[in-house]
Amino acid sequence: MNRKAVVKGVGHYLPKRVVENAEFEETLETSDEWIRARTGIERRHISAPDETTSFMGTKAAQAALAMAGADIKDVDAIILATSTADHTFPSAATMVQQGLGMNHGFAFDVQAVCAGFVYALTTAKSMIESGQANSVMVIGAEMFSKLMDWTDRGTCVLFGDGAGALYLEAETDTDRGILSSQLASDGQYKDILFVDGGVSMQTTGHLRMQGKEVFRHAVEKLSDTAVSSLADAGLTPADVTWVVPHQANRRILEGVSKRLKIPMDQFIVTVQDHGNTSAASIPLALARGAAEGRFKPGDVLVIGAIGGGLAWGTAVLRW
Ligand code: UT7
């Protein structure tokens, strides 16, 4: 029997506080105009102390379950993509498990920075196809605001907080579901995007990035893996209905659009409202696309992301 991981529900949570670009003009040598022109970002959500990664992840998962009409008893596993778990351990996933009142199954975090959601979804796909799980809640949840150096205008204006969740169930003999995925990483680029703290230093640290370098890799690697994961599914860019990419910079998306020859009006773009929410950005964009009724059954969606590591990946799914 041909088992597939099929999307049953999508949900999201965004912190209540919204920070417009203009707020940064008070403390940094920057402008709303620069941020909009160079990134497409207009605002981002910044979490309050009680809006932690596990809190936001729990809310997003509850919304995905509600959309699916499913109960927590139906969920076999939680896979949560994050680089900003509430604590060094336990995993944010087990904290979400508790938040959802789930005492069965298993939960774990995946850490592949901005590509984390694609890695988590690929893990869920494998577990569902192999029969290890019948249903998986895949969450991307982040509070990157906690990693910002608020004096560094080259990074702190770019990121935001939030969470999104996709609830997947096994179905047999269907043409829907996750059709293919490709993951890649290359540790030689670790110094162009990293956090200068961690367990070995007994600090949390701050995000450091050579933006131009990351930008260059992003356009090329996202386009190339999109083409090869589409080929794995027996498809080409011409078959794509929607591209739902990681939201780091509108100019990166325009570069990918050009290389794939898929027009920007087939891209779900949320970077203007969310900034870069790392592993949360794709499920947040999926939640918005679904809420706006853009995805129709049978639509081919390509998701793709790149971030620290470098780690990147794409997946193809039929809605
Ligand atoms: O999710 C993980 C993946 N991350 C990404 O994909 C991010 C990829 N990179 C980018 O999005 C862009 O490279 C940035 C938005 C980070 C920067 O844009 P850029 O066009 O590559 O600018 P730049 O770094 O070359 O900087 C150009 C100038 C610099 O000034 P000088 O050296 O030319 O005098 C910067 O200091 O812009 C300056 N600058 C700013 N000016 C006003 C940098 N940040 C700001 C700012 N406001 N916020």
Side-chain angles (χ1 to χ4, degrees):
M1 272 200 294
N2 179 14
R3 279 169 69 93
K4 288 256 182 59
V6 175
V7 176
K8 297 290 180 175
V10 195
H12 80 282
Y13 180 86
L14 286 161
K16 291 179 187 61
R17 180 163 176 243
V18 177
V19 174
E20 301 286 340
N21 288 346
E23 256 194 61
F24 290 104
E25 294 175 0
E26 295 163 22
T27 52
L28 294 169
E29 229 177 276
T30 190
S31 64
D32 174 38
E33 198 188 354
W34 190 95
I35 301 168
R36 274 177 202 249
R38 302 310 295 162
T39 71
I41 298 166
E42 297 172 23
R43 60 193 65 80
R44 73 287 292 139
H45 294 251
I46 301 290
S47 56
D50 58 345
E51 292 174 311
T52 59
T53 291
S54 65
F55 173 85
M56 294 189 288
T58 302
K59 292 283 186 194
Q62 284 166 337
L65 282 176
M67 177 178 162
D71 189 86
I72 191 61
K73 291 196 288 294
D74 303 326
V75 181
D76 289 344
I78 297 168
I79 307 178
L80 191 150
T82 192
S83 302
T84 50
D86 305 17
H87 299 285
T88 305
F89 74 78
S91 66
T94 52
M95 294 175 72
V96 168
Q97 187 181 22
Q98 186 202 18
L100 294 172
M102 175 179 167
N103 302 114
H104 63 275
F106 59 93
F108 60 96
D109 287 356
V110 164
Q111 209 273 47
V113 203
C114 297
F117 188 76
V118 184
Y119 276 66
L121 194 71
T122 301
T123 308
K125 169 185 185 288
S126 300
M127 288 187 155
I128 286 177
E129 288 177 358
S130 69
Q132 188 158 23
N134 284 315
S135 56
V136 181
M137 182 65 74
V138 184
I139 303 168
E142 300 275 22
M143 43 181 184
F144 260 50
S145 61
K146 302 284 190 289
L147 298 178
M148 291 300 113
D149 171 353
W150 295 103
T151 64
D152 177 12
R153 67 178 183 174
T155 53
C156 73
V157 303
L158 304 175
F159 291 89
D161 301 333
L166 217 57
Y167 176 57
L168 304 165
E169 282 182 359
E171 273 188 25
T172 48
D173 301 320
T174 174
D175 62 355
R176 295 181 59 213
I178 306 171
L179 307 181
S180 67
S181 80
Q182 283 207 356
L183 304 178
S185 63
D186 190 343
Q188 72 170 303
Y189 299 116
K190 67 181 171 48
D191 295 334
I192 65 174
L193 179 49
F194 67 103
V195 170
D196 62 3
V199 175
S200 61
M201 282 153 269
Q202 295 193 293
T203 63
T204 304
H206 294 120
L207 182 144
R208 306 293 175 200
M209 177 167 71
Q210 294 173 31
K212 245 190 180 33
E213 278 301 297
V214 179
F215 191 110
R216 195 170 58 78
H217 287 287
V219 174
E220 180 195 301
K221 291 184 166 53
L222 288 178
S223 312
D224 292 354
T225 46
V227 171
S228 46
S229 48
L230 280 164
D232 285 350
L235 301 169
T236 72
D239 299 308
V240 173
T241 326
W242 294 105
V243 181
V244 190
H246 173 49
Q247 312 278 325
N249 186 323
R250 189 181 165 91
R251 291 188 297 128
I252 293 176
L253 308 187
E254 288 166 352
V256 173
S257 161
K258 217 177 251 169
R259 279 175 78 113
L260 293 178
K261 297 190 176 61
I262 300 175
M264 278 301 283
D265 60 10
Q266 283 173 251
F267 280 58
I268 303 291
V269 183
T270 56
V271 71
Q272 68 281 2
D273 296 324
H274 302 160
N276 182 345
T277 56
S278 186
S281 84
I282 289 176
L284 276 169
L286 285 167
R288 178 173 289 184
E292 291 175 351
R294 300 221 220 166
F295 310 143
K296 305 281 184 272
D299 280 0
V300 173
L301 274 61
V302 175
I303 67 168
I306 183 165
L310 294 176
W312 65 100
T314 62
V316 179
L317 54 114
R318 200 182 294 279
W319 197 252

